[in-house]
Amino acid sequence: MAKIKILQEGQSYTFRSYFELPYEADDILAEFDYSLKRAELSLPKTTRQLDHLPELKQKIRTFLPFVSLSNETARRETLVSPILLEVVICCQCQMRIEYPLTVNNWLKGYLDYLLRSTNNLLVIEAKNDDLTRGFTQLAVELIALSHIEEQNVFYGAVTMGDVWRFGKLERNSQLITQDINLFKVPDDLESLFRVLLGILEGIEA
């Protein structure tokens, strides 16, 4: 049976377009010759001492009852940014917000957060809802990065602030793996933080 052609020649698609397309993630990624696997990802984790984390966790627990997480901006400003800023301080890496990236007419748009250390980089896509379609958008963003960066393995995460899911792109095998596990904030903050740092420190999973 012939595969449905989803992307049209001559048509322009931004990263956001892939969130809005009504197709399954594996069908969309097949347009870029990538396959999708859902599995338990073995993620890098730092073993360093995390002195400031209990304080951040307590702060999040304290303000969450008073903040309405009804839109993407609220989630980004109250939950995503504080965590990523703490990561930046810990690993002294660069963070770009709304980072513009254009590869071609099918791969272009803005990355919500791009963190870059001397060892690795990490893409974070923040959403108000729908982690599933958000992951499709994240996967396409990782494909775009793989066109301009030298490395073979790329990590990213899609988050609604209080829930995070990781993904991994392997260029050599044209494979994107979606982690079946979720990290919840504030309960799993330490585990989440260790993974974010582990990726940026270039630790082998």
Side-chain angles (χ1 to χ4, degrees), residues 86-146:
E86 194 66 38
V87 168
V88 167
I89 292 166
C90 279
C91 72
Q92 299 289 290
C93 59
Q94 297 289 324
M95 180 165 76
R96 301 284 181 260
I97 301 171
E98 292 290 323
Y99 181 75
L101 177 61
T102 301
V103 175
N104 55 41
N105 243 8
W106 288 2
L107 294 170
K108 63 180 182 179
Y110 292 86
L111 309 179
D112 283 347
Y113 301 92
L114 176 64
L115 282 77
R116 186 188 294 273
S117 67
T118 51
N119 300 303
N120 215 342
L121 50 81
L122 173 64
V123 181
I124 309 291
E125 179 58 39
K127 289 292 173 206
N128 184 42
D129 56 20
D130 205 333
L131 274 186
T132 302
R133 289 192 301 156
F135 188 87
T136 305
Q137 180 176 341
L138 171 72
V140 174
E141 291 170 355
L142 292 175
I143 291 171
L145 269 179
S146 75

Side-chain angles (χ1 to χ4, degrees), residues 16-28:
R16 173 77 193 184
S17 305
Y18 298 100
F19 179 79
E20 295 165 349
L21 286 172
Y23 299 99
E24 292 292 330
D26 48 0
D27 290 332
I28 291 173

Side-chain angles (χ1 to χ4, degrees), residues 60-95:
I60 291 171
R61 281 195 190 282
T62 304
F63 71 59
L64 266 183
F66 305 103
V67 178
S68 170
L69 301 177
S70 57
N71 60 66
E72 190 177 311
T73 303
R75 291 171 181 274
R76 284 174 61 166
E77 291 189 6
T78 59
L79 283 172
V80 183
S81 289
I83 292 170
L84 294 183
L85 287 170
E86 194 66 38
V87 168
V88 167
I89 292 166
C90 279
C91 72
Q92 299 289 290
C93 59
Q94 297 289 324
M95 180 165 76

